[in-house]
Amino acid sequence: MAERLESFAGLLDLSGAGHYTSRAYRRAAETIRESKAPIAELVRSGRVQDLRGIGPGIAARLRELVETGRIAELEELERDVQPELVGLGRFLGVGPKRMVEIGTALGVRTVDEFREAAQTGRLQSVPGIGPQTEQRLLAALEREHRPQKRGLLLNRARALLEEIAGGLGAEMAGDPRRWADTSFDLAVVASSARPKQVLDLFERLPAIVVVVERETRRALGITVEGVPVELVVAEPERFGTELLRATGARAYVEALEPLPDAPDEEGVYAALGIPWCPPELREQPFRGEPPPLVELADIRGDLHCHTTWSDGKASVLEMGTAARDLGYEYMAICDHTQNVRVVPGLDADDLRRQAEEIAAANEELVPFRILRGSEVDIRRDGELDLPDDILGELDWVQLSLHAGQRERGDTLTKKVTEAMRHPAVTCLSHPKGRIINHRPPNALNLERVFEVALETGIALETNGLPDRLDLSGPEVRLAVEAGVPICASTDAHSVRGLGNMRLCVATARRGWATASDVVNTRPLAGLPLRRR
């Protein structure tokens, strides 16, 4: 059932359906796969909607599947969308609608048919394809260059490779294994003395729309996003060697070549006579002893979370209970202030009413502690978006800039550093303001920010939202080298969002941060709470 829903989600992506629709089907598939309940019985009894993330539309598809063994709309999409062509088109940089038009004009439906038509000079028979376009498509087919594309966000890249690797009994590699904030090179590495079986299974995976290259121990498949995923089937005695090579980055691996053969990575490093290196640090040539990087298990609390008081999806108690169940000792509720405008924001009166709810939750969750906090906006005039009296009541104040990201560097830096000097501020949120694939980093002078952070004792955040991861790994490293404390927080807007702690911890690790560099590895008594 889960596989059919995932296939449905992939075809919805290919057909140009809304992102939220396909995401709903993927989440429903995840729920079904993880559930221990008898799904078919729930469907027959009309209770399947009791499961998280399954609404009436998906329930109807499941009923059809249980009763008939098929989903008619899925079969219709498979006929109309032509997934092989559309997936190939995205890889080549051609939109879904246009690729189907080209296929219809050529009378082809598969990759092999398209390749033959292109190589025999038939592309120019398609209206709108001239010599230059033909050459671009031929070059892309031969992989002389890859089309420019936006990389996958880390959470999507990891989920995709986890699904593919899990289906093959393989290990993920490429950019996602190094926890790169944006992934362009995706790979999985399997170990087998019978590579044909693994390659055949790879072609049948729901996540792979089409395989465009296949060799004895290697294949290149294309996902519904048009992203190429390389499969390497290593000989068992060379698995470690191929995993290290496929993990990259290229500069790091090339500095270690020639790589000795070994069945695991530890064996490769031992043969090279150097310490094992965590994947997060494999960006540039390095042969030394890596530091003891911060671990997810070191985290004692999350210091940037939202609730239904602003734009969150869960109550104070629900967020606190979920954080406690993760083994945390504390969390800070930091809902937005009113200057953000595009989401509900809190004023001083709201924060005092929220304090009553926090106090009640703390009584129920003791000894776990919910801290009173706020994500306080910096207004255009440089002032904080709350009066001093309420700021003095809060335990944890996240300073944030949401408007004015395109201001000149000197103007932006002056505004932010002056706001940092307010005695209530404890942390600067997502300092560079980037939205990956949508908005570049702002012109904030980090060197000057580090100086003020050291003067005031406030921490700088690496934010766990998948499209932020801000500070980035290289910026975290600069902060660590400067002696500035880092706060690894999720900016969670739901209970599910608390799971993004693994992303911000990985980003801190890419910045060479140890547990002592990260403030929320400390017990509650050791936190740099408000300065009075």
Side-chain angles (χ1 to χ4, degrees):
M1 289 183 193
E3 285 181 1
R4 298 312 287 162
L5 291 186
E6 284 173 346
S7 295
F8 205 145
L11 287 166
L12 287 170
D13 278 336
L14 290 171
S15 68
H19 165 70
Y20 293 104
T21 302
S22 57
R23 185 175 69 174
Y25 277 87
R26 285 197 176 91
R27 287 184 172 176
E30 179 183 348
T31 296
I32 288 172
R33 184 169 281 118
E34 293 176 351
S35 176
K36 296 178 181 176
I39 303 299
E41 291 181 19
L42 292 179
V43 171
R44 292 189 185 98
S45 65
R47 295 178 50 220
V48 72
Q49 288 181 243
D50 293 346
L51 297 177
R52 172 182 57 84
I54 296 183
I58 296 176
R61 303 291 188 277
L62 289 172
R63 176 172 289 278
E64 182 184 1
L65 183 59
V66 168
E67 292 178 350
T68 69
R70 56 192 287 266
I71 301 176
E73 188 177 350
L74 175 59
E75 295 176 359
E76 183 179 340
L77 280 171
E78 287 173 337
R79 288 193 303 269
D80 296 343
V81 171
Q82 300 183 33
E84 275 201 37
L85 281 185
V86 174
L88 176 66
R90 287 189 169 175
F91 177 62
L92 300 177
V94 179
K97 183 178 179 181
R98 178 57 174 156
M99 195 63 182
V100 171
E101 290 174 351
I102 294 172
T104 301
L106 293 172
V108 303
R109 292 182 62 90
T110 69
V111 170
D112 289 341
E113 290 171 350
F114 181 88
R115 191 190 300 274
E116 181 182 358
Q119 292 173 344
T120 55
R122 293 173 54 204
L123 282 177
Q124 288 195 52
S125 68
V126 178
I129 294 185
Q132 289 185 334
T133 302
E134 180 189 43
Q135 289 304 311
R136 178 176 67 81
L137 292 175
L138 286 170
L141 278 171
E142 296 302 321
R143 297 186 67 210
E144 292 176 6
H145 70 276
R146 288 186 180 178
Q148 291 297 314
K149 60 185 185 299
R150 297 192 306 175
L152 284 184
L153 295 181
L154 177 56
N155 63 328
R156 175 61 186 139
R158 294 271 311 181
L160 177 63
L161 284 199
E162 284 168 0
E163 176 187 349
I164 293 172
L168 300 174
E171 292 288 337
M172 76 166 65
D175 296 340
R177 186 168 182 239
R178 301 196 317 278
W179 297 85
D181 47 24
T182 313
S183 292
F184 293 90
D185 294 318
L186 291 88
V188 294
V189 182
S191 172
S192 179
R194 299 177 177 177
K196 182 180 183 301
Q197 295 180 0
V198 182
L199 292 166
D200 289 346
L201 183 57
F202 180 65
E203 290 196 6
R204 296 195 299 269
L205 291 177
I208 299 299
V209 175
V210 61
V211 170
V212 294
E213 295 180 10
R214 177 164 171 166
E215 301 169 8
T216 305
R217 287 190 172 272
R218 181 191 159 279
L220 185 74
I222 308 299
T223 72
V224 295
E225 294 96 340
V227 175
V229 177
E230 184 176 30
L231 166 66
V232 177
V233 186
E235 297 165 344
E237 63 273 17
R238 301 188 68 253
F239 174 73
T241 308
E242 296 300 339
L243 179 60
L244 195 157
R245 183 173 285 123
T247 296
R250 180 177 296 179
Y252 175 82
V253 174
E254 287 179 349
L256 299 180
E257 294 281 13
L259 295 180
D261 292 344
D264 53 42
E265 283 191 331
E266 289 79 4
V268 177
Y269 282 99
L272 289 170
I274 60 176
W276 186 83
C277 182
E280 295 95 327
L281 302 188
R282 302 181 194 175
E283 293 296 333
Q284 299 299 326
F286 173 68
R287 286 176 170 264
E289 182 76 44
L293 300 179
V294 61
E295 302 277 356
L296 185 60
D298 296 326
I299 300 298
R300 293 174 180 252
D302 196 332
L303 292 170
H304 186 175
C305 300
H306 294 268
T307 72
T308 49
W309 280 82
S310 63
D311 57 340
K313 307 299 182 186
S315 68
V316 169
L317 180 59
E318 288 169 336
M319 292 296 285
T321 301
R324 181 200 62 184
D325 292 347
L326 287 172
Y328 293 160
E329 299 172 19
Y330 51 82
M331 82 179 318
I333 300 298
C334 297
D335 282 313
H336 291 290
T337 56
Q338 294 185 327
N339 189 63
V340 179
R341 301 185 190 283
V342 295
V343 300
L346 282 65
D347 61 14
D349 291 339
D350 296 326
L351 283 165
R352 291 189 173 103
R353 288 197 301 274
Q354 187 186 62
E356 298 174 5
E357 189 172 326
I358 290 174
N362 275 331
E363 286 187 16
E364 186 168 336
L365 298 174
V366 70
F368 180 84
R369 172 83 180 278
I370 300 175
L371 301 173
R372 288 182 65 197
S374 177
E375 184 176 2
V376 181
D377 225 42
I378 305 173
R379 299 199 303 250
R380 289 192 178 276
D381 59 7
E383 295 296 315
L384 271 63
D385 195 32
L386 285 174
D388 288 351
D389 58 345
I390 186 64
L391 287 169
E393 297 177 17
L394 301 177
D395 301 306
W396 187 262
V397 175
Q398 294 273 140
L399 184 67
S400 285
L401 183 75
H402 288 96
Q405 297 287 356
R406 296 182 180 179
E407 290 182 330
R408 286 176 33 180
D410 54 353
T411 303
L412 191 64
T413 303
K414 184 174 186 293
K415 180 191 296 186
V416 171
T417 53
E418 287 182 357
M420 289 170 65
R421 295 185 184 280
H422 193 289
V425 174
T426 49
C427 184
L428 175 62
S429 297
H430 40 74
K432 293 295 286 183
R434 72 170 179 175
I435 304 294
I436 298 173
N437 288 334
H438 292 283
R439 185 172 70 204
N442 61 37
L444 186 68
N445 184 330
L446 283 181
E447 185 175 342
R448 180 63 185 137
V449 168
F450 294 161
E451 292 174 359
V452 176
L454 291 172
E455 292 173 16
T456 58
I458 75 170
L460 266 59
E461 180 186 72
T462 180
N463 184 288
L465 290 177
D467 57 354
R468 283 196 183 274
L469 301 183
D470 174 16
L471 297 169
S472 67
E475 291 161 351
V476 169
R477 187 171 187 182
L478 293 175
V480 167
E481 290 174 347
V484 175
I486 297 297
C487 186
S489 292
T490 62
D491 199 352
H493 287 65
S494 65
V495 167
R496 186 185 183 93
L498 293 171
N500 286 332
M501 183 60 77
R502 67 176 191 154
L503 302 185
C504 39
V505 168
T507 303
R509 288 169 61 88
R510 284 172 62 80
W512 297 62
T514 67
S516 62
D517 297 315
V518 179
V519 298
N520 48 320
T521 63
R522 306 174 191 174
L524 181 61
L527 289 180
L529 300 181
R530 68 179 184 271
R531 294 167 281 132
R532 294 180 174 175

